[in-house]
Amino acid sequence: MLIYNFDRIFKARGIIRPFSYLKNAGFSDNFATKVKNNKVARLNLREIERLCVLLRCTPNDFYEWTPDKNTQVDAEHPLNKIKRSDKVIDLTRMLNSIPLEQLDEVEQLIKEKIEKGEA
């Protein structure tokens, strides 16, 4: 089943209050509520584009695919790229647990990855 998963992108962007964030960006109360609660049935292309620009992502970042037991696809199938594992990494919590003296090293590694275009 293909679904929208906005929680993942909000968490990745450090957005704690998605409703307020979307409202401040000019989205309606109704739209912001649906997105915040992952109750969106469909989006038009204009809405997808606005969300992508705002959240600095691609449409694939919103989608999550969980195959039902009757769906068989090979390992090379493109849908596998949006198949998400159950393991969710909370980067903020992880960073908060790193000793302060190691944060400079982590920051440098991240900067290097970004400069190389690997992030």
Side-chain angles (χ1 to χ4, degrees), residues 20-79:
S20 299
Y21 185 81
L22 292 170
K23 281 290 297 165
N24 290 337
F27 289 97
S28 71
D29 286 359
N30 186 39
F31 182 82
T33 300
K34 286 181 181 179
V35 170
K36 177 198 171 287
N37 295 322
N38 275 317
K39 299 291 183 189
V40 175
R42 63 181 157 248
L43 292 172
N44 67 42
L45 293 175
R46 185 173 174 87
E47 291 167 332
I48 291 172
E49 181 180 13
R50 284 183 65 201
L51 285 169
C52 288
V53 169
L54 179 66
L55 297 168
R56 297 185 51 83
C57 65
T58 68
N60 270 359
D61 294 319
F62 300 136
Y63 300 116
E64 183 172 316
W65 181 60
T66 306
D68 61 36
K69 54 187 164 186
N70 296 328
T71 303
Q72 300 286 325
V73 298
D74 61 76
E76 303 302 317
H77 195 284
L79 274 174

Side-chain angles (χ1 to χ4, degrees), residues 5 8 32 35 38 50 55 68 71 86 90 95 103 109:
N5 183 351
R8 182 174 168 273
V35 170
N38 275 317
R50 284 183 65 201
L55 297 168
D68 61 36
T71 303
D86 291 335
D90 185 350
L95 287 172
L103 281 178
L109 287 170

Side-chain angles (χ1 to χ4, degrees), residues 88-115:
V88 176
I89 298 173
D90 185 350
L91 186 58
T92 303
R93 187 174 59 219
M94 186 186 308
L95 287 172
N96 287 335
S97 69
I98 296 173
L100 289 175
E101 61 271 5
Q102 291 180 347
L103 281 178
D104 287 338
E105 183 180 339
V106 171
E107 181 182 11
Q108 188 58 40
L109 287 170
I110 292 170
K111 285 180 180 178
E112 288 172 10
K113 289 279 190 186
I114 290 170
E115 287 171 6

